[in-house]
Amino acid sequence: MFKSINPATGQEIATYPELSKTEIAQKLDAAMAAFQGWSRTHPAERAQLLSRIADGFEQNKERLAAMATAEMGKTLKSSLAEVEKCVSGFRYYAQHGPEMLAPARTPLNHGTAETHWLPQGAVLAIMPWNFPYWQVVRFLAPTIMAGNVALLKHASLVQGVANLMEETVRAAGAPAGVFQNLAVTSASVADLIADRRIVAVTLTGSEGAGIAVAEQAGRNLKKVVLELGGSDPFIVMPSADLDLAVRQAVTARIQNTGQSCICGKRMIVHTAVYDAFLERFAAAMRAVKAGDPLDPQSDMGPLSSFGQRDTVLQQLAEARKAGAKMLCGGDQPEAPGAYLTAGILTDVPAGSATTREEIFGPIAMMFRATDLDDAIRIANDIPFGLGSSVWTQDAREQARFIADIQAGMTAINQILASVPEAPFGGIKRSGHGRELGPYGLHEFMNLKSVLYTA
C-alpha cells in the first residue's frame, strides 16, 4: 500500500494499492497486445495522439498541478509551469517526430543503403518524484512517437500524479496498454527488467538505483538509459554580470526547493569577485521565504518528505563536522511540514565527502577559484558529470569551459534547463544515454540498414 503524504502539513492525502504479481502480468500482457497494433501505425497518427495528449494536459493543468503540489510540495506556480512544459514536450515530438523517423538513403558503389528507425516493444521507466510530470514526459512523448509502448514505475510518494497521467493519456484516445502506471515497489524492478516482455529500461534517480538497474539490464542484455545525480558547478568569472549571476544562483538553489539534479549546487567564484558575489548572494538567500506552496508569496515550499529533509540535515551536520561553516540558513522553521531554510556552506574542505555528494535541497556550497584553470579543476573534481553553468563574457573562457568541463551539458550565462529540442544527459557517475531531441527518440529504436542493388 502506498501512502500519499502532504509534506507541507504532514497529513495523509490518499492511499493506493500495490499491484499483485497477477496484476503485473496482466499489464505486461496488455502492453504486448497494444504494441502489436501501435507499432504498425503511421508516424503521423502517433503525432496526432501526442497533440491530443498535449491538449489534455493544457485543459487540465490546474488539476494536474494541484496534485503535484499536494504530493511533493513544490509551489503551485512551479507545478503549473511544469505542466505547461509537458505540453511543449508533447507538441515538440508531435511536430518534429515524423521527420526524425523518415528513412535516409545513401548511394553506394553498386546500389543504395537505406536506414529505418523501427519500434522495439515495451519500455520500462523508473521515475523520481522531483519533477513528477516532466521527468515522465521526457520518456513518454518519444516512446509514443517511436511506436513503442510505455510502462511507468513512478516514485511511491506521487502515485496520484502517476494515475492522473495515465488517465489523461487514455482520455486523449491512446489505445489501452500504450501507457500504463505500474504501482509497484523497487523490490519488483529486477523481475520486470528480466521479463521478456520488457525490451529496454530508463531510469532517473540516485547513483545507487542506477547501479542496481544497470546491473540487471546488463545481466539481461537490455538497453538502458541512466540519468543519475549531479553536483553541478556554477562558475562565476570577473567579466560576469554579477547581479544577474547572483539572482540566477539563488534561483538555481531554491527552485523546486533545491531538488533538481541540474541546477548549480557548487558556486565556484573567481577570487577577484568572490567577496562581492558572496555578500550579495548571502543577502538574497537570507531573504528567501519558505512557506505554504499554495501561497503565491512563497519563494519555495517544503522538501518532498520529512525523510528527504532529514537526509539534508544529516549531510549538513557531517559537513560542519568536517570543518565547513554554515554561513546562513539550513534551519528547520518552527512550523508543520518538511521545511528547510535556504542556506550557504563555506570553507568546505577539499576532498571531503560533502564535495563528492549531491545535496538535494536549498543549500549552496561556496568555492574560491584563483584563475580559469583552478575553476575548471574544482568543477571536475567530483565523480559526477551532469550539467554546468558558467558566467563570463570572455569568448576564450567560454570555449575553455565548453571543451574542458566534464559534463554532458553546459549553459553559458544562464542556468541550465532541460528543453525538448536539446539532448539531456550526463557522463561519469551521472549516467549515460540521452533524453529529448532526436537522440531521445532514437535511444530505444532499432536502426535497421537496408541494402538495395540499385
Side-chain angles (χ1 to χ4, degrees), residues 114-166:
E114 196 171 69
T115 53
H116 293 253
W117 292 104
L118 302 175
Q120 296 196 87
V123 179
L124 171 66
I126 304 163
M127 291 290 132
W129 43 259
N130 58 329
F131 291 94
Y133 291 112
W134 177 239
Q135 301 276 18
V136 176
V137 171
R138 291 193 330 213
F139 121 88
L140 179 59
T143 296
I144 289 175
M145 189 68 242
N148 291 324
V149 297
L151 294 162
L152 170 65
K153 186 272 178 221
H154 217 329
S156 60
L157 60 84
V158 289
Q159 287 300 305
V161 164
N163 287 338
L164 274 183
M165 292 195 77
E166 182 175 356

Side-chain angles (χ1 to χ4, degrees), residues 166-184:
E166 182 175 356
E167 176 187 317
T168 306
V169 171
R170 287 295 303 276
V178 165
F179 173 53
Q180 301 176 87
N181 175 43
L182 298 180
V184 298

Side-chain angles (χ1 to χ4, degrees), residues 431-446:
H432 52 244
R434 292 295 183 267
E435 299 174 308
L436 301 175
Y439 305 93
L441 175 60
H442 295 153
E443 279 282 8
F444 298 126
M445 300 194 75
N446 172 19

Side-chain angles (χ1 to χ4, degrees), residues 110-325:
H110 303 287
T112 303
E114 196 171 69
T115 53
H116 293 253
W117 292 104
L118 302 175
Q120 296 196 87
V123 179
L124 171 66
I126 304 163
M127 291 290 132
W129 43 259
N130 58 329
F131 291 94
Y133 291 112
W134 177 239
Q135 301 276 18
V136 176
V137 171
R138 291 193 330 213
F139 121 88
L140 179 59
T143 296
I144 289 175
M145 189 68 242
N148 291 324
V149 297
L151 294 162
L152 170 65
K153 186 272 178 221
H154 217 329
S156 60
L157 60 84
V158 289
Q159 287 300 305
V161 164
N163 287 338
L164 274 183
M165 292 195 77
E166 182 175 356
E167 176 187 317
T168 306
V169 171
R170 287 295 303 276
V178 165
F179 173 53
Q180 301 176 87
N181 175 43
L182 298 180
V184 298
T185 67
S186 298
S188 299
V189 167
D191 287 342
L192 285 169
I193 296 174
D195 194 287
R196 59 176 177 77
R197 291 164 288 191
I198 301 290
V199 299
V201 59
T202 179
L203 174 133
T204 298
S206 68
E207 183 180 345
I211 291 170
V213 167
E215 182 180 4
Q216 292 296 327
R219 182 174 291 125
N220 291 280
L221 294 177
K222 293 184 180 178
K223 179 73 176 290
V224 61
V225 167
L226 301 175
E227 195 270 278
L228 309 178
S231 188
D232 288 3
F234 185 104
I235 303 174
V236 182
M237 299 297 286
S239 65
D241 180 333
L242 209 58
D243 288 332
L244 177 60
V246 167
R247 289 197 301 271
Q248 292 301 296
V250 174
T251 298
R253 291 318 315 127
I254 72 168
Q255 74 166 2
N256 215 39
T257 318
Q259 299 165 127
S260 173
C261 55
I262 60 166
C263 279
K265 299 178 178 69
R266 295 178 300 131
M267 309 301 160
I268 303 169
V269 184
H270 191 284
T271 189
V273 292
Y274 181 92
D275 292 336
F277 178 93
L278 182 56
E279 181 182 4
R280 300 179 205 183
F281 184 43
M285 290 287 275
R286 289 187 179 103
V288 170
K289 180 184 177 182
D292 182 354
L294 296 175
D295 183 351
Q297 299 304 313
S298 296
D299 297 311
M300 64 181 189
L303 275 79
S304 64
S305 67
F306 292 92
Q308 180 59 29
R309 182 199 62 189
D310 292 345
T311 294
V312 175
L313 287 171
Q314 180 62 34
Q315 288 177 300
L316 296 181
E318 291 173 357
R320 290 193 294 269
K321 185 177 179 180
K325 297 176 182 177

Side-chain angles (χ1 to χ4, degrees), residues 405-416:
I405 289 180
Q406 296 166 359
M409 300 167 284
T410 296
I412 307 294
N413 294 319
Q414 60 183 302
I415 58 174
L416 189 62

